[in-house]
Amino acid sequence: YRVLSRTGDEMDDGLLLPGAPDAMATFAGPEGRTLLVRNHELTAGARAAGAFGENNQRLSQVPKEDFYDWGRGQAPSLGGTSTVVIAPDGSIEKQYLSLVGTIRNCAGGSTPWGSWITCEETIQLADDSHEKNHGYNFEVPARTDIGRAAPVPLKSMGRFNHEAVAVDPQSGIVYQTEDTGDSLIYRYIPNQPGKLAGDGRLQSAGAAGLPQV
């Protein structure tokens, strides 16, 4: 077992490696490289494990428009994803923050077209600390170049305590699980397969013939 890096290490974009890693996926990169995209299940209050330092002193290194939720510059949401580019010999070539401004990025799933769907496990509403509602999925391309994914919530896929997703490579239908006491299983049928930011139909599974409660 090789320790590639530790929470708080400086990454190649000048930010700190966030803590609370959760679900992740690997993708084949160019010339034998491997791309690892991983979640960080953090909230706005987890500054000690955030990418900007214990007092958010590195916050100014990231443009406001790169955040989904900037927290009015005082309490930015610290969840998101980081991407690691691993060389053929197993060493880290570079790593960087690839999605910023989300909350409690728990699980997710990879897509057949080479991206990672990261899921917010929360239904946090906008309040004095949060500029926006949370509880969405976000798509993060797997790429070698340092850069951040557009923080576009995939609203047609639903707002709930998301857990994992799985994409049917033939139909493009996305199956989703939920993490709460009364969880449902969902499927999202995009109008255009592979274009999750567009419109589509969100459905939940039910059991026929059982009494309603």
Side-chain angles (χ1 to χ4, degrees), residues 3-118:
V3 177
L4 296 179
S5 54
R6 300 179 186 277
T7 298
D9 286 354
E10 185 169 283
M11 299 188 292
D12 293 87
D13 57 1
L15 302 174
L16 305 178
L17 176 61
D22 207 287
M24 59 191 75
T26 58
F27 303 84
E31 299 179 345
R33 296 177 177 87
T34 299
L35 308 177
L36 174 69
V37 185
R38 61 190 166 200
N39 285 345
H40 297 279
E41 193 173 353
L42 297 171
T43 63
R47 293 187 177 188
F52 311 113
E54 193 162 358
N55 297 307
N56 282 336
Q57 61 268 26
R58 302 190 186 209
L59 186 62
S60 61
Q61 295 180 216
V62 179
K64 176 182 176 180
E65 57 269 21
D66 285 4
F67 284 81
Y68 171 65
D69 191 337
W70 191 56
R72 300 179 179 82
Q74 300 300 315
S77 296
L78 298 176
T81 65
S82 61
T83 296
V84 189
V85 182
I86 303 172
D89 64 0
S91 63
I92 288 182
E93 188 171 292
K94 69 180 76 164
Q95 57 184 332
Y96 60 90
L97 200 63
S98 47
L99 178 71
V100 60
T102 53
I103 292 177
R104 294 193 63 186
N105 297 71
C106 183
S110 58
T111 71
W113 50 88
S115 63
W116 169 248
I117 305 301
T118 180

Side-chain angles (χ1 to χ4, degrees), residues 126-140:
D127 59 16
D128 290 342
S129 299
H130 302 86
E131 295 182 10
K132 299 180 180 179
N133 294 338
H134 291 261
Y136 298 111
N137 295 338
F138 295 79
E139 186 167 11
V140 182

